[in-house]
Amino acid sequence: MRLALAEAEACRASGDVPVGAVVVDEAGRVLGRGRNEREAAGDPTAHAEVLALRAAAAARGEWRLSGCTLVVTLEPCTMCAGATVLARVDRLVLGAWDPRFGAAGSLRDVVRDRRLNHVVEVAGGVLADDCERLLDDFFAERRG
């Protein structure tokens, strides 16, 4: 989670919401990193999770990320939760829960929906205070 937090911190320069993600394999090696880049790239799909999953798939040379863990500072939205399922990620470790948009147990539970072709194990609240503080500080600065 500390690596994901470092990615989130790097969002400050672009003005993106500070969310960071990493994908690690079974041995704990980092395969992909991502941070929100919607503002920087002008791309509505440039969420930290999607970028980390793309990088991990490129590193692996295939789209299936079986055996991998996605670590992210904020509970994934519906798009990112769906991408996590479709990539066949085994585990999702998240920091802060997102009651407004979260799709890993808060608003929805896409990653554990047994009607889908893959179910993801979820561990939430990891370094939640640090993850929440980063988001709170960002939005406090925006409100000025």
Side-chain angles (χ1 to χ4, degrees):
M1 185 60 75
R2 297 237 183 259
L3 293 174
L5 277 164
E7 289 295 324
E9 285 278 354
C11 290
R12 289 181 189 258
S14 66
D16 278 286
V17 175
V19 177
V22 295
V23 176
V24 297
D25 68 10
E26 303 91 327
R29 291 181 297 251
V30 175
L31 297 179
R33 298 171 187 262
R35 67 180 71 111
N36 273 356
E37 294 183 8
R38 291 184 310 166
E39 299 297 330
D43 178 355
T45 68
H47 289 208
E49 302 94 325
V50 169
L51 299 177
L53 291 169
R54 287 177 184 163
R60 261 219 172 149
E62 66 172 319
W63 62 267
R64 287 178 192 84
L65 298 176
S66 300
C68 290
T69 300
L70 172 63
V71 181
V72 62
T73 58
L74 180 65
E75 180 182 2
C77 68
T78 303
M79 175 184 70
C80 295
T84 302
V85 169
L86 292 173
R88 311 296 196 277
V89 169
D90 284 355
R91 282 165 303 287
L92 169 65
V93 176
L94 64 96
W97 293 97
D98 187 354
R100 286 187 61 210
F101 299 106
S106 289
L107 180 64
R108 293 179 177 73
D109 201 350
V110 172
V111 295
R112 292 180 286 200
D113 188 331
R114 298 218 175 267
R115 295 171 295 177
L116 301 177
N117 64 339
H118 181 72
V119 175
V120 180
E121 177 187 330
V122 177
V126 177
L127 295 180
D129 290 343
D130 294 338
C131 296
E132 290 169 6
R133 189 174 313 106
L134 189 59
L135 290 161
D136 290 345
D137 291 350
F138 171 80
F139 288 112
E141 289 172 16
R142 301 281 267 187
R143 286 189 293 272

